[in-house]
Amino acid sequence: MKHQPHDAPPGDPDSALAGEAEGYLLARAHHDQARREAEDLCARMPWLTAAQAEDVARHYTRKRIDLTRQMLLSTVERASQLRQEYETRYAALRRDLLKLHAAGVCAALICLGGAGALASLLSR
C-alpha cells in the first residue's frame, strides 16, 4: 500500500504520482548516503587501489541497500500485522459495546413496561 496524504482521496492519480516521487527521492537519498558511507570506509583504507576501492564501495552500497530494503519490508509486514490485530480488537470492542447498549435498552424497556403495568394496576 502506498503512502497517501491525509487530505487526498485514495484513488487520486496526483497523490499516487506524488507518493511515487516521494518514494523515489527517499530511495535516492538513502542510496547517496550509503555511497558516502562506502567512500568514507574506503578512505580509511589507503592501501586499496582505485579499482579495489570502487569494488568495495559498490559491494558496501549494495549490501547496505539490501539490508535497508529487508528492514523496511519487515517493518511493513509488522505494521500490517499490528493493523490487523488492532482492527480485530476494535471490531470486538465495538461488538461488545453494541451488546452492552442493547442490553441497557432492553433493561430500560422492561423497566418502563413494568412501571406502566404497575401504574395501570394501581389506577384501577
Side-chain angles (χ1 to χ4, degrees):
M1 179 173 183
K2 294 180 182 175
H3 170 70
Q4 296 286 336
H6 296 289
D7 57 348
D12 185 21
D14 290 337
S15 70
L17 180 62
E20 285 190 33
E22 180 185 21
Y24 172 79
L25 292 173
L26 287 172
R28 190 72 221 156
H30 184 75
H31 184 273
D32 292 345
Q33 176 65 31
R35 184 66 187 186
R36 282 191 298 275
E37 290 173 11
E39 290 169 357
D40 288 345
L41 174 66
C42 291
R44 290 190 303 253
M45 296 186 277
W47 60 87
L48 294 176
T49 65
Q52 289 171 330
E54 182 57 36
D55 195 41
V56 168
R58 186 173 38 80
H59 284 290
Y60 177 92
T61 303
R62 184 178 28 168
K63 282 295 191 182
R64 173 80 191 291
I65 297 298
D66 289 346
L67 176 63
T68 301
R69 182 178 292 120
Q70 182 182 15
M71 288 171 40
L72 287 172
L73 290 173
S74 295
T75 301
V76 166
E77 183 178 336
R78 182 62 181 142
S80 177
Q81 291 171 351
L82 287 173
R83 180 184 180 124
Q84 185 60 46
E85 289 174 20
Y86 288 137
E87 287 176 352
T88 301
R89 180 66 180 142
Y90 179 73
L93 289 172
R94 282 184 60 183
R95 187 176 52 253
D96 292 347
L97 187 60
L98 180 62
K99 287 178 185 177
L100 185 62
H101 281 267
V105 168
C106 288
L109 289 174
I110 290 171
C111 287
L112 286 174
L118 181 61
S120 174
L121 287 175
L122 292 176
S123 66
R124 285 185 190 186

